Amino acid sequence: MTRGGGLGRDFRWLWAAYAVSAFGTRLSFDALPLLAVLVLHVGPSEVSALAATGLAVGAAVAVPLGPWVEFRRKRPVMISMDLARCAALLSVPVAYALNLLTFPQLLLVSVVVAVADITFTAASGACLKFLVPPEHLVAANGRFEATTWTTTMLGPPLGGAAMGLFGPVVTVLIDAGSYLLSAAGIRAIGTEEPRPADTREPRPASTREPRPSGTKESRTTDTEEPRSTGAEQPRPAGSTQPHPVPAVKPATDAAPRLRLGDLLDGWRYILRDPALRPLFLNSVLVNALIMAPAPLLLILMVGQLGFAPWQYGLAFAVPCVGGLIGSRLSRRLVVRYGQDRVIRVSGTLRACWPLGLAFVGTGPAGLVLVMVAELGLITCIAVFNPVLATQRLTRTPSDRVARTLTAWSVTGKLTIAATTALWGLLASVTTPRTAIATAGLLLLATPLLLLRRRDRHRDRIDAGTDNSLDLNRA
């Protein structure tokens, strides 16, 4: 693996692929909900349903994809998901040009994109762990986080301007093209990726598939490519090295079959790990309570308070400078204070800001209020996320990464979908402002999950961190 200076050429290709697709996504910020409001003239319940249905159905479809991805090479999966997202998004401008755009089509596109997002995330996490050594994971995740907020800062205002100049679907078209470029960047990664070994418990002999007479099970190592023939790989003459441990699966280059028990492995691992469990519960709840009121804030600002789409985009773009600040501070804070303290403090602070969004008013003062609340929230998130991502990767064995990340993503998206639908109903019964305030108040209780996690498992967490991530030496 060629690493050269910094994190290496292969990581730079992965980073470039992420950057271009992230920019396309941020350029088309809330494009589907905006199309629903501006072109199809739907109301708050339909906008919430659009956000909720795509996440819920997409997450349900993605459940078996985590184990499926686990036993396959990750880069072909990532390329396929990029192409799927490109095709789905391209259907929107085509339908709009033919005057055939409908709300059900937007729902279908959101489902396809959600499935591809979850699958891509699971594969990319495993790919990152393969390309980057453990001691550099905080730095790598910090670069992804900085890229996220850079594209979020630049994308929405440019996207709003593009929609004003060229029409409401141009950003969707650009987003589709960004996935093509992302696929090309992933394809350019040069390090050969071995087929993952099947490390699951072997099935009883009576249930195994028969092998042709005279063949042997293939023997593979973590760094060797399993051969497509059934023959045992020879050793050099006079070698004293033992044979590699035989793989569980029969000697074939085909990936192993998916088992029913594999579907729950990700959740089992997360819930049994004393450090990941509270982080999982906290992140799922916080993300849901931040994202569920987002369609309602769009309705409040654009539909009721009269802000233009470019003003709405600007209100969320300017505070993203906090993402650059937070992502740069994250690694330095970990070196000085340790991962656990950074997670607890930044995780607590990030829950304090969204309540302020309930008090947004008209005019420049309203925009300033949204920017200040978002600046505080984004800065804390940008400190928190790289440390969370690093702990999640370092505590998860390589042969479980895809399943664990899929379980994490599926749970998060299903929870966001459920709370988004619930908050849409709450806004219909009360007002969007009331629903936004309710989410902000509930967020204030979420740090309790982080504050309880240290005492019982302090030694175990510190030992795991010291062994897997030597930040002082990095």
Side-chain angles (χ1 to χ4, degrees):
M1 189 181 304
T2 302
R3 290 195 173 96
L7 295 170
R9 176 183 178 275
D10 289 334
F11 171 78
R12 289 195 293 271
W13 276 118
L14 181 65
W15 185 21
Y18 174 78
V20 69
S21 64
F23 180 73
T25 299
R26 301 308 175 186
L27 192 76
S28 61
F29 177 68
D30 278 349
L32 297 186
L34 281 171
L35 282 171
V37 172
L38 299 176
V39 177
L40 302 178
H41 309 291
V42 302
S45 59
E46 288 85 355
V47 172
S48 295
L50 177 61
T53 302
L55 291 176
V57 179
V61 173
V63 168
L65 294 179
W68 179 82
V69 170
E70 194 78 79
F71 305 115
R72 282 159 178 80
R73 294 184 179 92
K74 305 306 183 289
R75 292 201 296 275
V77 172
M78 295 162 67
I79 292 171
S80 299
M81 294 304 104
D82 274 339
L83 296 179
R85 288 183 285 191
C86 175
L89 290 170
L90 279 177
S91 71
V92 174
V94 171
Y96 176 80
L98 299 174
N99 199 28
L100 297 176
L101 186 65
T102 62
F103 188 72
Q105 181 184 354
L106 294 182
L107 287 174
L108 180 60
V109 170
S110 67
V111 168
V112 173
V113 171
V115 173
D117 283 346
I118 294 173
T119 308
F120 185 95
T121 298
S124 64
C127 182
L128 177 64
K129 187 166 184 175
F130 170 70
L131 293 177
V132 177
E135 63 269 20
H136 295 318
L137 280 174
V138 168
N141 284 312
R143 292 194 185 186
F144 284 122
E145 191 72 15
T147 302
T148 296
W149 295 115
T150 300
T151 56
T152 305
M153 178 172 59
L154 299 176
L158 293 176
M163 289 181 69
L165 291 173
F166 304 109
V169 297
V170 64
T171 58
V172 179
L173 187 62
I174 296 173
D175 192 16
S178 74
Y179 288 120
L180 282 179
L181 295 176
S182 172
I186 295 168
R187 179 68 179 82
I189 295 175
T191 301
E192 185 177 358
E193 182 183 3
R195 181 179 294 281
D198 185 0
T199 58
R200 299 173 295 180
E201 291 294 327
R203 291 174 292 176
S206 60
T207 65
R208 294 189 185 182
E209 297 178 2
R211 290 179 289 141
S213 176
T215 62
K216 299 179 181 181
E217 291 187 349
S218 64
R219 302 174 184 267
T220 61
T221 66
D222 291 339
T223 58
E224 288 181 326
E225 183 74 12
R227 301 188 178 187
S228 58
T229 66
E232 184 179 282
Q233 298 185 22
R235 292 179 296 166
S239 172
T240 59
Q241 295 297 324
H243 280 299
V245 178
V248 174
K249 63 179 182 178
T252 175
D253 198 46
R257 291 183 178 180
L258 183 64
R259 305 176 190 174
L260 183 62
D262 296 336
L263 302 181
L264 301 178
D265 278 350
W267 283 281
R268 290 193 192 102
Y269 185 79
I270 293 170
L271 295 177
R272 289 174 182 173
D273 189 287
L276 290 183
R277 183 172 58 248
L279 290 175
F280 171 69
L281 297 175
N282 175 269
S283 66
V284 166
L285 290 175
V286 169
N287 290 339
L289 291 172
I290 289 175
M291 296 303 299
L296 306 178
L297 189 59
L298 170 64
I299 292 292
L300 177 63
M301 294 183 66
V302 177
Q304 297 182 6
L305 298 179
F307 289 102
W310 70 267
Q311 292 175 311
Y312 175 74
L314 186 66
F316 291 93
V318 172
C320 291
V321 67
L324 300 179
I325 296 171
S327 60
R328 292 296 298 270
L329 288 175
S330 182
R331 181 177 179 275
R332 299 177 185 179
L333 292 174
V334 167
V335 171
R336 182 168 182 176
Y337 299 108
Q339 290 191 38
D340 188 73
R341 182 176 296 180
V342 171
I343 282 180
R344 284 188 291 127
V345 174
S346 62
T348 299
L349 292 176
R350 85 192 198 283
C352 300
W353 298 95
L355 182 60
L357 298 173
F359 302 98
V360 60
T362 59
L367 280 180
V368 170
L369 176 60
V370 173
M371 290 179 183
V372 170
E374 289 293 322
L375 177 64
L377 174 65
I378 290 171
T379 302
C380 296
I381 288 175
V383 172
F384 180 89
N385 281 352
V387 188
L388 168 65
T390 299
Q391 279 218 7
R392 192 167 56 190
L393 285 178
T394 54
R395 295 192 68 89
T396 305
S398 296
D399 61 344
R400 291 179 179 267
V401 170
R403 282 172 284 180
T404 300
L405 293 183
T406 298
W408 201 296
S409 296
V410 165
T411 305
K413 290 184 182 295
L414 285 175
T415 307
I416 290 173
T419 52
T420 299
L422 181 61
W423 255 250
L425 178 62
L426 178 62
S428 299
V429 174
T430 58
T431 64
R433 195 183 297 273
T434 300
I436 294 169
T438 303
L441 290 172
L442 292 175
L443 272 168
L444 296 178
T446 57
L448 294 175
L449 287 167
L450 299 177
L451 296 176
R452 290 203 299 254
R453 67 181 286 265
R454 180 68 175 175
D455 294 336
R456 291 175 56 193
H457 309 286
R458 179 173 190 140
D459 294 337
R460 178 177 174 181
I461 295 171
D462 283 346
T465 300
D466 291 342
N467 290 334
S468 62
L469 189 61
D470 188 1
L471 289 171
N472 292 321
R473 186 166 49 84

